[in-house]
């Protein structure tokens, strides 16, 4: 098992177990942990953070097999659908989309992922 641990976090932002990478929730915040304004911008910021985390465990966006979106506003679904279609080729990864009351640091979006990095994707 391979893990990537940051001194900023008491958890592993990305954890590799064999051919599978589990990515902890990536928030729509900037590098100073300030929430990103704008609907599309917030969704994109969360993807950027998630992609950075994937890379620490040897995975990339095209390795993702499952995503979970947590949003503070369910009306972000249409923007998330457009982002999803833009980022992933058919067949797209499985996805769950949930509304939550609040997210850390005032973020409006959090995305976690599971990726498969083996040869038999």
């Amino acid at each position: 098992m391979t893990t990537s641990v940051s001194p900023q976090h008491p958890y592993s932002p990305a954890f590799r177990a064999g051919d599978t990478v589990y990515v902890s929730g990536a928030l729509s915040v900037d590098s100073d942990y300030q929430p990103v304004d704008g609907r599309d911008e917030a969704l994109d910021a969360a993807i950027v953070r998630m992609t950075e985390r994937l890379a620490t465990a040897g995975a990339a966006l095209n390795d993702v097999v499952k995503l979970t979106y947590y949003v503070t506003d369910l009306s972000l679904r249409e923007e998330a659908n457009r982002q999803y279609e833009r980022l992933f080729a058919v067949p797209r990864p499985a996805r769950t989309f949930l509304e939550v009351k609040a997210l850390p640091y005032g973020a409006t979006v959090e995305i976690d992922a599971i990726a498969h990095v083996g040869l038999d994707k």
Side-chain angles (χ1 to χ4, degrees), residues 69-75 97-101:
Y69 282 69
Y70 303 90
V71 298
T72 58
D73 180 353
L74 201 55
S75 73
F97 192 86
L98 302 166
E99 183 178 37
V100 296
K101 182 177 180 178

Side-chain angles (χ1 to χ4, degrees), residues 11-25:
Y11 58 88
S12 297
F15 186 89
R16 184 168 177 165
D19 292 342
T20 305
V21 175
Y22 300 89
V23 178
S24 298

Side-chain angles (χ1 to χ4, degrees), residues 15-86:
F15 186 89
R16 184 168 177 165
D19 292 342
T20 305
V21 175
Y22 300 89
V23 178
S24 298
L27 296 164
S28 59
V29 295
D30 63 21
S31 59
D32 294 322
Y33 291 90
Q34 296 302 305
V36 172
D37 292 328
R39 296 166 67 88
D40 289 322
E41 294 83 359
L43 286 160
D44 288 343
I47 286 290
V48 167
R49 300 283 88 73
M50 190 206 35
T51 302
E52 292 168 350
R53 290 175 176 203
L54 282 164
T56 68
L61 203 55
N62 64 343
D63 296 318
V64 170
V65 296
K66 171 74 168 78
L67 288 174
T68 303
Y69 282 69
Y70 303 90
V71 298
T72 58
D73 180 353
L74 201 55
S75 73
L76 281 169
R77 190 165 188 267
E78 290 308 313
E79 287 93 338
N81 285 342
R82 286 192 298 272
Q83 178 192 60
Y84 201 67
E85 290 171 349
R86 184 181 79 237

